[in-house]
Amino acid sequence: MANDASTVFDLVILGGGSGGYAAALRASQLGLDVALIEKGKVGGTCLHNGCIPTKALLHAGEVADQTRESAQFGVKATFEGIDIEAVHTYKDDVISGLYKGLQGLIASRKVTYIEGEGRLSSPTSVDVDGRRVEGRHVLLATGSVPKSVPGLDIDGDRIISSDHALKLNRVPKSAIILGGGVIGVEFASAWKSFGTEVTVVEGLKHLVPAEDENSSKLLERAFRKRGIKFNLGTFFDKAEYTQDGVRVTLADGKTFEAEVLLVAIGRGPVSQGLGYEEAGVAMDRGYVLVDEYMRTNVETISAVGDLVPTLQLAHVGFAEGILVAERLAGERPVPIDYDGVPRVTYCHPEVASVGLSEAKAKEIYGADKVVALKYNLAGNGKSKILKTAGEIKLVQVKDGAVVGVHMVGDRMGEQVGEAQLIYNWEALPAEVAQLIHAHPTQNEALGEAHLALAGKPLHSHD
Protein backbone atom coordinates (compact mmCIF):
# COMPACT_ATOMS: atom_id res chain seq x y z
CA MET A 1 0.00 0.00 0.00
CA ALA A 2 1.61 3.23 -1.16
CA ASN A 3 1.68 6.20 1.14
CA ASP A 4 0.15 9.44 -0.12
CA ALA A 5 3.32 11.08 -1.44
CA SER A 6 4.93 10.84 2.03
CA THR A 7 2.48 13.44 3.39
CA VAL A 8 1.42 13.00 7.00
CA PHE A 9 -1.69 15.07 7.69
CA ASP A 10 -2.48 16.57 11.06
CA LEU A 11 -5.99 15.16 10.74
CA VAL A 12 -7.45 12.47 8.49
CA ILE A 13 -11.26 12.41 8.46
CA LEU A 14 -13.16 9.34 7.29
CA GLY A 15 -16.61 10.53 6.21
CA GLY A 16 -17.74 13.84 4.74
CA GLY A 17 -21.15 14.25 6.37
CA SER A 18 -22.14 16.93 8.87
CA GLY A 19 -19.63 15.94 11.56
CA GLY A 20 -16.78 15.18 9.16
CA TYR A 21 -16.93 18.28 7.01
CA ALA A 22 -17.51 20.58 10.00
CA ALA A 23 -14.34 19.18 11.58
CA ALA A 24 -12.45 19.63 8.30
CA LEU A 25 -13.50 23.26 7.85
CA ARG A 26 -12.78 24.25 11.46
CA ALA A 27 -9.49 22.35 11.67
CA SER A 28 -8.23 23.92 8.47
CA GLN A 29 -9.31 27.35 9.74
CA LEU A 30 -7.18 26.71 12.85
CA GLY A 31 -4.11 25.90 10.77
CA LEU A 32 -4.20 22.10 10.67
CA ASP A 33 -3.38 20.15 7.51
CA VAL A 34 -6.53 18.13 6.81
CA ALA A 35 -7.53 15.24 4.54
CA LEU A 36 -11.24 14.53 4.12
CA ILE A 37 -12.24 11.14 2.69
CA GLU A 38 -15.75 10.52 1.34
CA LYS A 39 -17.05 7.66 -0.82
CA GLY A 40 -20.23 9.47 -1.90
CA LYS A 41 -20.99 13.17 -1.90
CA VAL A 42 -19.73 15.61 0.70
CA GLY A 43 -22.62 16.72 2.89
CA GLY A 44 -23.65 13.18 3.76
CA THR A 45 -27.09 12.09 4.89
CA CYS A 46 -28.30 15.52 6.00
CA LEU A 47 -27.77 17.25 2.69
CA HIS A 48 -28.56 14.41 0.30
CA ASN A 49 -30.87 11.94 2.09
CA GLY A 50 -32.15 13.61 5.24
CA CYS A 51 -32.67 17.10 6.63
CA ILE A 52 -32.67 19.13 3.43
CA PRO A 53 -34.70 16.94 1.04
CA THR A 54 -37.32 16.03 3.64
CA LYS A 55 -37.89 19.67 4.54
CA ALA A 56 -38.25 20.50 0.84
CA LEU A 57 -40.97 17.85 0.55
CA LEU A 58 -42.64 19.17 3.68
CA HIS A 59 -42.63 22.71 2.30
CA ALA A 60 -44.15 21.49 -0.98
CA GLY A 61 -46.83 19.81 1.13
CA GLU A 62 -47.39 23.04 3.05
CA VAL A 63 -47.95 24.91 -0.22
CA ALA A 64 -50.43 22.22 -1.30
CA ASP A 65 -52.37 22.56 1.97
CA GLN A 66 -52.37 26.35 1.75
CA THR A 67 -53.73 26.16 -1.78
CA ARG A 68 -56.53 23.81 -0.74
CA GLU A 69 -57.39 25.99 2.24
CA SER A 70 -56.88 29.41 0.66
CA ALA A 71 -60.60 30.31 0.68
CA GLN A 72 -60.54 30.74 4.47
CA PHE A 73 -58.17 33.68 3.92
CA GLY A 74 -60.34 35.18 1.18
CA VAL A 75 -58.03 33.97 -1.57
CA LYS A 76 -59.54 32.06 -4.50
CA ALA A 77 -57.24 29.27 -5.68
CA THR A 78 -57.69 25.85 -7.24
CA PHE A 79 -55.63 22.84 -6.23
CA GLU A 80 -55.01 20.66 -9.27
CA GLY A 81 -52.72 18.04 -7.74
CA ILE A 82 -49.08 17.15 -7.14
CA ASP A 83 -46.56 16.99 -10.00
CA ILE A 84 -44.10 14.74 -8.19
CA GLU A 85 -41.41 15.10 -10.85
CA ALA A 86 -41.56 18.89 -10.46
CA VAL A 87 -41.44 18.48 -6.67
CA HIS A 88 -38.29 16.40 -7.04
CA THR A 89 -36.79 19.00 -9.39
CA TYR A 90 -37.41 21.71 -6.79
CA LYS A 91 -35.95 19.52 -4.02
CA ASP A 92 -32.91 18.55 -6.09
CA ASP A 93 -32.24 22.19 -7.05
CA VAL A 94 -32.09 23.10 -3.35
CA ILE A 95 -29.68 20.23 -2.68
CA SER A 96 -27.56 21.04 -5.73
CA GLY A 97 -27.10 24.68 -4.74
CA LEU A 98 -26.06 23.80 -1.21
CA TYR A 99 -23.78 21.00 -2.47
CA LYS A 100 -21.93 23.35 -4.83
CA GLY A 101 -21.55 25.88 -2.04
CA LEU A 102 -20.14 23.25 0.30
CA GLN A 103 -17.67 22.04 -2.35
CA GLY A 104 -16.50 25.61 -2.77
CA LEU A 105 -16.08 26.03 0.98
CA ILE A 106 -13.91 22.93 1.24
CA ALA A 107 -11.76 24.04 -1.69
CA SER A 108 -11.37 27.55 -0.27
CA ARG A 109 -10.20 26.19 3.09
CA LYS A 110 -7.52 24.12 1.29
CA VAL A 111 -8.78 20.81 2.67
CA THR A 112 -7.37 17.84 0.76
CA TYR A 113 -10.50 16.10 -0.50
CA ILE A 114 -10.12 12.41 -1.37
CA GLU A 115 -13.02 10.69 -3.10
CA GLY A 116 -13.20 6.95 -2.49
CA GLU A 117 -14.16 4.27 -0.01
CA GLY A 118 -11.90 4.40 3.02
CA ARG A 119 -11.06 1.82 5.65
CA LEU A 120 -9.18 2.37 8.91
CA SER A 121 -5.89 0.47 8.50
CA SER A 122 -4.15 1.50 11.73
CA PRO A 123 -4.66 3.99 14.56
CA THR A 124 -3.04 6.62 12.31
CA SER A 125 -3.95 5.69 8.75
CA VAL A 126 -6.84 5.14 6.35
CA ASP A 127 -6.62 3.12 3.14
CA VAL A 128 -8.52 4.50 0.15
CA ASP A 129 -8.65 2.52 -3.10
CA GLY A 130 -5.08 1.23 -2.87
CA ARG A 131 -3.67 4.40 -1.34
CA ARG A 132 -2.64 4.87 2.28
CA VAL A 133 -3.42 8.23 3.88
CA GLU A 134 -1.43 8.86 7.07
CA GLY A 135 -2.38 11.24 9.84
CA ARG A 136 -1.30 12.23 13.32
CA HIS A 137 -4.95 11.87 14.28
CA VAL A 138 -7.92 10.11 12.66
CA LEU A 139 -11.55 11.19 12.99
CA LEU A 140 -14.21 8.57 12.27
CA ALA A 141 -17.40 10.13 10.88
CA THR A 142 -18.98 7.42 8.72
CA GLY A 143 -22.57 8.23 9.67
CA SER A 144 -25.64 6.02 9.55
CA VAL A 145 -28.13 4.23 7.28
CA PRO A 146 -31.84 3.43 7.65
CA LYS A 147 -32.54 0.47 9.93
CA SER A 148 -35.00 -2.36 9.46
CA VAL A 149 -36.29 -5.15 11.72
CA PRO A 150 -35.25 -8.81 11.47
CA GLY A 151 -37.17 -10.63 8.75
CA LEU A 152 -38.40 -7.44 7.07
CA ASP A 153 -36.68 -7.04 3.71
CA ILE A 154 -36.68 -3.57 2.19
CA ASP A 155 -37.21 -4.05 -1.55
CA GLY A 156 -37.27 -0.40 -2.60
CA ASP A 157 -40.68 -0.81 -4.26
CA ARG A 158 -43.47 -1.83 -1.89
CA ILE A 159 -41.38 -1.91 1.28
CA ILE A 160 -39.16 1.15 1.33
CA SER A 161 -36.75 3.12 3.49
CA SER A 162 -36.58 6.90 3.83
CA ASP A 163 -33.89 6.90 1.12
CA HIS A 164 -36.36 5.35 -1.33
CA ALA A 165 -39.22 7.60 -0.17
CA LEU A 166 -37.21 10.71 -1.05
CA LYS A 167 -36.95 9.54 -4.66
CA LEU A 168 -40.34 7.85 -5.09
CA ASN A 169 -41.64 8.61 -8.59
CA ARG A 170 -45.27 8.61 -7.54
CA VAL A 171 -47.52 9.79 -4.74
CA PRO A 172 -48.76 6.57 -3.11
CA LYS A 173 -52.53 6.32 -2.70
CA SER A 174 -52.01 4.76 0.73
CA ALA A 175 -49.06 4.16 3.03
CA ILE A 176 -48.28 2.44 6.29
CA ILE A 177 -45.39 4.03 8.16
CA LEU A 178 -43.60 1.79 10.63
CA GLY A 179 -42.24 4.10 13.32
CA GLY A 180 -43.77 7.21 14.86
CA GLY A 181 -40.54 9.04 15.63
CA VAL A 182 -39.18 12.07 13.79
CA ILE A 183 -38.68 10.38 10.40
CA GLY A 184 -42.05 8.63 10.49
CA VAL A 185 -44.19 11.63 11.41
CA GLU A 186 -42.42 13.93 8.95
CA PHE A 187 -43.16 11.57 6.05
CA ALA A 188 -46.69 11.04 7.36
CA SER A 189 -47.20 14.80 7.32
CA ALA A 190 -45.75 15.36 3.84
CA TRP A 191 -47.56 12.43 2.26
CA LYS A 192 -50.89 13.45 3.80
CA SER A 193 -50.43 16.90 2.31
CA PHE A 194 -49.78 15.24 -1.06
CA GLY A 195 -53.04 13.28 -0.77
CA THR A 196 -51.89 9.91 0.58
CA GLU A 197 -53.99 8.01 3.11
CA VAL A 198 -51.50 7.44 5.92
CA THR A 199 -51.41 5.08 8.91
CA VAL A 200 -48.52 5.31 11.37
CA VAL A 201 -47.67 2.23 13.46
CA GLU A 202 -45.70 2.97 16.63
CA GLY A 203 -44.91 0.31 19.24
CA LEU A 204 -44.56 2.80 22.08
CA LYS A 205 -47.54 4.57 23.60
CA HIS A 206 -47.09 7.94 21.86
CA LEU A 207 -45.97 9.54 18.62
CA VAL A 208 -42.58 11.31 18.88
CA PRO A 209 -41.99 9.33 22.10
CA ALA A 210 -38.70 11.13 22.85
CA GLU A 211 -40.60 14.41 23.37
CA ASP A 212 -42.48 15.66 26.41
CA GLU A 213 -45.74 13.69 26.71
CA ASN A 214 -47.81 16.87 26.37
CA SER A 215 -46.18 17.60 22.99
CA SER A 216 -46.91 14.05 21.83
CA LYS A 217 -50.57 14.36 22.80
CA LEU A 218 -50.90 17.71 21.03
CA LEU A 219 -49.38 16.25 17.86
CA GLU A 220 -51.69 13.23 18.05
CA ARG A 221 -54.68 15.54 18.34
CA ALA A 222 -53.51 17.55 15.32
CA PHE A 223 -52.90 14.39 13.27
CA ARG A 224 -56.40 13.12 14.06
CA LYS A 225 -57.80 16.45 12.85
CA ARG A 226 -55.78 16.12 9.64
CA GLY A 227 -57.02 12.58 9.07
CA ILE A 228 -53.66 10.91 9.68
CA LYS A 229 -54.36 7.56 11.33
CA PHE A 230 -52.04 5.94 13.86
CA ASN A 231 -51.89 2.81 15.99
CA LEU A 232 -49.94 3.11 19.24
CA GLY A 233 -48.68 0.70 21.87
CA THR A 234 -48.44 -2.49 19.80
CA PHE A 235 -45.32 -3.69 18.03
CA PHE A 236 -44.92 -4.89 14.46
CA ASP A 237 -45.02 -8.64 13.78
CA LYS A 238 -44.76 -9.21 10.02
CA ALA A 239 -45.34 -7.80 6.56
CA GLU A 240 -46.42 -9.66 3.43
CA TYR A 241 -47.26 -8.75 -0.14
CA THR A 242 -50.87 -8.53 -1.25
CA GLN A 243 -52.01 -8.47 -4.88
CA ASP A 244 -51.27 -4.76 -5.20
CA GLY A 245 -49.57 -3.69 -1.99
CA VAL A 246 -48.51 -4.72 1.50
CA ARG A 247 -50.28 -6.14 4.54
CA VAL A 248 -48.81 -5.41 7.98
CA THR A 249 -49.70 -7.57 10.97
CA LEU A 250 -49.10 -6.38 14.53
CA ALA A 251 -48.28 -8.46 17.60
CA ASP A 252 -51.95 -8.38 18.68
CA GLY A 253 -53.12 -9.73 15.31
CA LYS A 254 -54.43 -6.41 13.98
CA THR A 255 -53.75 -5.91 10.26
CA PHE A 256 -53.37 -2.90 7.96
CA GLU A 257 -53.09 -2.79 4.17
CA ALA A 258 -51.64 -0.12 1.91
CA GLU A 259 -49.83 0.45 -1.36
CA VAL A 260 -46.44 0.94 0.35
CA LEU A 261 -44.82 0.32 3.70
CA LEU A 262 -42.23 2.89 4.81
CA VAL A 263 -39.83 1.50 7.41
CA ALA A 264 -38.93 4.49 9.59
CA ILE A 265 -37.68 2.95 12.82
CA GLY A 266 -34.48 4.98 12.94
CA ARG A 267 -30.94 4.86 11.63
CA GLY A 268 -28.04 2.61 12.55
CA PRO A 269 -24.29 3.38 12.51
CA VAL A 270 -22.09 2.61 9.49
CA SER A 271 -19.14 0.81 11.09
CA GLN A 272 -19.10 -2.81 9.97
CA GLY A 273 -16.07 -3.93 7.95
CA LEU A 274 -14.27 -0.60 8.24
CA GLY A 275 -11.41 -1.80 10.44
CA TYR A 276 -12.50 -0.11 13.64
CA GLU A 277 -12.42 -3.14 15.90
CA GLU A 278 -9.15 -4.37 14.36
CA ALA A 279 -7.56 -1.05 15.35
CA GLY A 280 -8.74 -1.60 18.92
CA VAL A 281 -11.60 0.91 18.94
CA ALA A 282 -14.21 0.14 21.62
CA MET A 283 -17.66 -0.50 20.16
CA ASP A 284 -21.19 -1.22 21.36
CA ARG A 285 -23.86 -2.54 18.97
CA GLY A 286 -22.08 -0.95 16.05
CA TYR A 287 -21.61 2.45 17.69
CA VAL A 288 -18.14 3.81 18.45
CA LEU A 289 -17.83 4.70 22.13
CA VAL A 290 -16.45 8.14 23.01
CA ASP A 291 -16.00 10.40 26.03
CA GLU A 292 -17.33 13.95 26.38
CA TYR A 293 -14.52 15.24 24.15
CA MET A 294 -15.36 12.69 21.41
CA ARG A 295 -12.19 10.69 22.16
CA THR A 296 -12.24 6.93 21.69
CA ASN A 297 -10.19 4.56 23.82
CA VAL A 298 -7.45 4.78 21.15
CA GLU A 299 -5.41 7.92 21.72
CA THR A 300 -5.11 8.91 18.07
CA ILE A 301 -8.74 8.28 17.10
CA SER A 302 -11.88 10.35 17.69
CA ALA A 303 -15.43 9.82 16.41
CA VAL A 304 -18.47 12.05 15.84
CA GLY A 305 -21.97 12.19 14.40
CA ASP A 306 -24.40 9.33 13.89
CA LEU A 307 -21.53 6.88 14.38
CA VAL A 308 -21.52 7.60 18.13
CA PRO A 309 -24.47 7.11 20.52
CA THR A 310 -25.45 10.77 20.83
CA LEU A 311 -28.43 12.63 19.31
CA GLN A 312 -28.71 11.87 15.59
CA LEU A 313 -29.01 15.48 14.47
CA ALA A 314 -26.95 17.30 11.87
CA HIS A 315 -26.35 20.26 14.16
CA VAL A 316 -25.04 17.86 16.82
CA GLY A 317 -22.64 16.47 14.21
CA PHE A 318 -21.50 20.01 13.38
CA ALA A 319 -20.86 20.77 17.05
CA GLU A 320 -19.04 17.49 17.68
CA GLY A 321 -16.83 17.98 14.62
CA ILE A 322 -15.96 21.53 15.67
CA LEU A 323 -15.18 20.31 19.20
CA VAL A 324 -12.71 17.72 17.88
CA ALA A 325 -11.02 20.23 15.57
CA GLU A 326 -10.61 22.79 18.34
CA ARG A 327 -9.30 20.19 20.80
CA LEU A 328 -6.69 18.97 18.32
CA ALA A 329 -5.66 22.55 17.55
CA GLY A 330 -4.91 23.19 21.23
CA GLU A 331 -8.08 25.11 22.04
CA ARG A 332 -10.10 24.34 25.18
CA PRO A 333 -13.60 23.50 23.93
CA VAL A 334 -16.44 22.89 26.37
CA PRO A 335 -18.15 19.47 26.22
CA ILE A 336 -21.62 19.48 24.67
CA ASP A 337 -24.66 19.54 26.94
CA TYR A 338 -26.94 17.34 24.86
CA ASP A 339 -30.02 18.39 26.84
CA GLY A 340 -29.29 21.93 25.65
CA VAL A 341 -29.44 20.99 21.96
CA PRO A 342 -32.56 22.24 20.16
CA ARG A 343 -34.73 19.47 18.67
CA VAL A 344 -37.29 20.04 15.92
CA THR A 345 -39.71 17.70 14.16
CA TYR A 346 -40.82 19.48 10.98
CA CYS A 347 -44.26 17.94 10.57
CA HIS A 348 -47.47 19.99 10.46
CA PRO A 349 -47.73 21.21 13.19
CA GLU A 350 -44.07 21.43 14.15
CA VAL A 351 -42.75 20.05 17.43
CA ALA A 352 -39.76 21.87 18.94
CA SER A 353 -38.02 21.50 22.28
CA VAL A 354 -34.90 22.10 24.30
CA GLY A 355 -33.98 20.95 27.77
CA LEU A 356 -35.74 18.46 30.02
CA SER A 357 -39.23 17.02 29.72
CA GLU A 358 -41.45 17.48 32.77
CA ALA A 359 -41.08 13.78 33.61
CA LYS A 360 -37.27 13.94 33.36
CA ALA A 361 -37.11 17.11 35.45
CA LYS A 362 -39.19 15.47 38.19
CA GLU A 363 -36.92 12.45 38.07
CA ILE A 364 -33.84 14.65 38.55
CA TYR A 365 -35.11 17.32 40.95
CA GLY A 366 -38.11 15.67 42.62
CA ALA A 367 -41.80 16.04 41.76
CA ASP A 368 -42.36 18.71 44.42
CA LYS A 369 -39.54 20.87 43.04
CA VAL A 370 -40.81 21.15 39.46
CA VAL A 371 -43.31 23.69 38.09
CA ALA A 372 -44.87 23.43 34.62
CA LEU A 373 -46.84 26.08 32.75
CA LYS A 374 -48.73 25.81 29.45
CA TYR A 375 -49.40 28.82 27.24
CA ASN A 376 -52.00 28.22 24.54
CA LEU A 377 -51.24 29.76 21.14
CA ALA A 378 -54.92 30.77 20.96
CA GLY A 379 -53.83 33.85 22.91
CA ASN A 380 -51.14 34.75 20.36
CA GLY A 381 -52.14 37.19 17.63
CA LYS A 382 -49.78 35.97 14.90
CA SER A 383 -50.77 32.36 15.50
CA LYS A 384 -54.42 33.41 15.11
CA ILE A 385 -53.54 35.09 11.81
CA LEU A 386 -51.79 31.92 10.63
CA LYS A 387 -54.69 29.78 11.94
CA THR A 388 -52.34 27.48 13.82
CA ALA A 389 -53.08 25.83 17.14
CA GLY A 390 -50.71 24.56 19.79
CA GLU A 391 -48.97 25.32 23.05
CA ILE A 392 -45.74 26.41 24.62
CA LYS A 393 -44.94 24.50 27.79
CA LEU A 394 -42.28 25.66 30.24
CA VAL A 395 -40.67 23.40 32.83
CA GLN A 396 -39.05 25.21 35.76
CA VAL A 397 -37.22 24.19 38.89
CA LYS A 398 -39.30 25.81 41.64
CA ASP A 399 -37.96 29.34 42.33
CA GLY A 400 -35.16 28.59 39.87
CA ALA A 401 -34.26 28.38 36.20
CA VAL A 402 -36.34 27.21 33.26
CA VAL A 403 -34.99 23.73 32.45
CA GLY A 404 -37.30 22.78 29.59
CA VAL A 405 -39.16 24.51 26.75
CA HIS A 406 -41.60 22.44 24.65
CA MET A 407 -43.51 23.93 21.72
CA VAL A 408 -46.11 22.61 19.29
CA GLY A 409 -47.50 24.68 16.42
CA ASP A 410 -46.68 25.85 12.92
CA ARG A 411 -43.25 27.55 12.68
CA MET A 412 -42.27 26.62 16.24
CA GLY A 413 -38.92 25.42 14.91
CA GLU A 414 -38.12 29.07 14.24
CA GLN A 415 -38.70 29.90 17.93
CA VAL A 416 -36.33 27.31 19.35
CA GLY A 417 -33.31 29.62 19.01
CA GLU A 418 -34.44 31.82 21.89
CA ALA A 419 -35.60 28.75 23.78
CA GLN A 420 -32.09 27.28 23.71
CA LEU A 421 -30.64 30.52 25.06
CA ILE A 422 -33.17 30.43 27.90
CA TYR A 423 -32.14 26.88 28.81
CA ASN A 424 -28.40 27.15 28.23
CA TRP A 425 -28.05 30.46 30.08
CA GLU A 426 -30.15 29.08 32.96
CA ALA A 427 -32.57 31.98 32.74
CA LEU A 428 -35.12 32.73 35.44
CA PRO A 429 -38.71 33.35 34.26
CA ALA A 430 -38.54 36.94 35.55
CA GLU A 431 -35.38 37.59 33.49
CA VAL A 432 -37.07 36.50 30.26
CA ALA A 433 -40.27 38.30 31.21
CA GLN A 434 -38.48 41.67 31.30
CA LEU A 435 -37.31 41.26 27.69
CA ILE A 436 -39.56 42.95 25.12
CA HIS A 437 -40.77 40.63 22.35
CA ALA A 438 -42.01 42.10 19.06
CA HIS A 439 -45.78 42.23 18.51
CA PRO A 440 -47.40 40.56 16.68
CA THR A 441 -45.06 37.60 16.35
CA GLN A 442 -45.17 33.98 17.38
CA ASN A 443 -41.94 34.67 19.24
CA GLU A 444 -44.03 36.86 21.51
CA ALA A 445 -45.70 33.68 22.81
CA LEU A 446 -42.42 32.68 24.47
CA GLY A 447 -42.33 36.04 26.24
CA GLU A 448 -45.98 35.72 27.29
CA ALA A 449 -45.36 32.25 28.69
CA HIS A 450 -42.49 33.56 30.82
CA LEU A 451 -44.59 36.54 31.96
CA ALA A 452 -47.19 34.06 33.16
CA LEU A 453 -44.59 31.87 34.87
CA ALA A 454 -43.14 34.97 36.55
CA GLY A 455 -46.58 35.72 38.00
CA LYS A 456 -47.54 38.65 35.80
CA PRO A 457 -49.48 37.28 32.83
CA LEU A 458 -50.62 39.75 30.17
CA HIS A 459 -52.62 38.08 27.39
CA SER A 460 -53.44 34.95 29.39
CA HIS A 461 -55.65 34.15 32.35
CA ASP A 462 -54.25 33.86 35.90
Side-chain angles (χ1 to χ4, degrees), residues 85-206:
E85 292 302 323
V87 170
H88 286 316
T89 297
Y90 150 67
K91 165 179 66 73
D92 294 342
D93 283 349
V94 173
I95 295 168
S96 177
L98 292 170
Y99 177 48
K100 287 175 183 174
L102 182 55
Q103 287 175 305
L105 261 178
I106 288 168
S108 72
R109 297 278 174 88
K110 296 181 171 55
V111 172
T112 300
Y113 184 71
I114 301 169
E115 191 172 329
E117 188 161 355
R119 185 179 188 278
L120 188 67
S121 49
S122 81
T124 56
S125 66
V126 175
D127 291 350
V128 189
D129 299 334
R131 169 185 181 189
R132 178 153 292 170
V133 184
E134 297 273 358
R136 294 179 181 85
H137 199 90
V138 176
L139 175 60
L140 308 177
T142 44
S144 63
V145 289
K147 291 195 296 189
S148 187
V149 296
L152 181 56
D153 295 325
I154 295 175
D155 61 25
D157 180 27
R158 298 189 193 185
I159 303 176
I160 63 176
S161 71
S162 57
D163 288 352
H164 301 118
L166 287 170
K167 296 177 172 62
L168 203 61
N169 61 3
R170 67 192 189 281
V171 175
K173 292 178 181 176
S174 57
I176 300 164
I177 297 177
L178 182 58
V182 174
I183 299 169
V185 300
E186 287 190 351
F187 273 103
S189 188
W191 277 349
K192 182 63 180 178
S193 298
F194 288 172
T196 304
E197 286 301 314
V198 179
T199 301
V200 181
V201 173
E202 169 56 54
L204 300 178
K205 65 179 182 178
H206 286 296

Side-chain angles (χ1 to χ4, degrees), residues 41-315:
K41 291 182 176 179
V42 68
T45 294
C46 174
L47 178 54
H48 301 285
N49 300 101
C51 320
I52 300 302
T54 54
K55 279 49 178 183
L57 292 185
L58 283 158
H59 182 62
E62 181 184 3
V63 173
D65 288 334
Q66 288 176 341
T67 306
R68 288 189 191 96
E69 299 161 5
S70 65
Q72 66 180 314
F73 301 102
V75 177
K76 294 181 179 179
T78 303
F79 178 72
E80 296 183 2
I82 300 294
D83 180 348
I84 196 63
E85 292 302 323
V87 170
H88 286 316
T89 297
Y90 150 67
K91 165 179 66 73
D92 294 342
D93 283 349
V94 173
I95 295 168
S96 177
L98 292 170
Y99 177 48
K100 287 175 183 174
L102 182 55
Q103 287 175 305
L105 261 178
I106 288 168
S108 72
R109 297 278 174 88
K110 296 181 171 55
V111 172
T112 300
Y113 184 71
I114 301 169
E115 191 172 329
E117 188 161 355
R119 185 179 188 278
L120 188 67
S121 49
S122 81
T124 56
S125 66
V126 175
D127 291 350
V128 189
D129 299 334
R131 169 185 181 189
R132 178 153 292 170
V133 184
E134 297 273 358
R136 294 179 181 85
H137 199 90
V138 176
L139 175 60
L140 308 177
T142 44
S144 63
V145 289
K147 291 195 296 189
S148 187
V149 296
L152 181 56
D153 295 325
I154 295 175
D155 61 25
D157 180 27
R158 298 189 193 185
I159 303 176
I160 63 176
S161 71
S162 57
D163 288 352
H164 301 118
L166 287 170
K167 296 177 172 62
L168 203 61
N169 61 3
R170 67 192 189 281
V171 175
K173 292 178 181 176
S174 57
I176 300 164
I177 297 177
L178 182 58
V182 174
I183 299 169
V185 300
E186 287 190 351
F187 273 103
S189 188
W191 277 349
K192 182 63 180 178
S193 298
F194 288 172
T196 304
E197 286 301 314
V198 179
T199 301
V200 181
V201 173
E202 169 56 54
L204 300 178
K205 65 179 182 178
H206 286 296
L207 296 178
V208 288
E211 294 291 341
D212 187 271
E213 188 172 337
N214 185 65
S215 295
S216 296
K217 288 178 177 178
L218 288 169
L219 180 63
E220 289 160 14
R221 184 189 306 167
F223 270 22
R224 285 190 197 98
K225 191 174 180 181
R226 291 187 63 195
I228 297 173
K229 300 172 185 174
F230 48 89
N231 192 93
L232 305 173
T234 307
F235 286 95
F236 167 87
D237 180 37
K238 64 180 179 179
E240 53 199 335
Y241 296 140
T242 60
Q243 185 174 343
D244 53 4
V246 183
R247 179 185 300 113
V248 168
T249 304
L250 304 187
D252 61 1
K254 191 181 291 186
T255 62
F256 301 91
E257 292 191 16
E259 181 183 327
V260 297
L261 167 61
L262 169 61
V263 182
I265 59 170
R267 300 180 64 87
V270 175
S271 58
Q272 191 171 4
L274 294 178
Y276 298 170
E277 288 167 315
E278 291 89 331
V281 176
M283 314 273 291
D284 180 32
R285 293 168 296 138
Y287 290 100
V288 172
L289 299 179
V290 293
D291 67 6
E292 68 272 27
Y293 291 100
M294 316 315 296
R295 297 177 295 204
T296 71
N297 61 311
V298 179
E299 187 179 1
T300 55
I301 300 176
S302 297
V304 297
D306 289 359
L307 182 62
V308 303
T310 56
L311 293 170
Q312 289 187 335
L313 299 168
H315 44 289

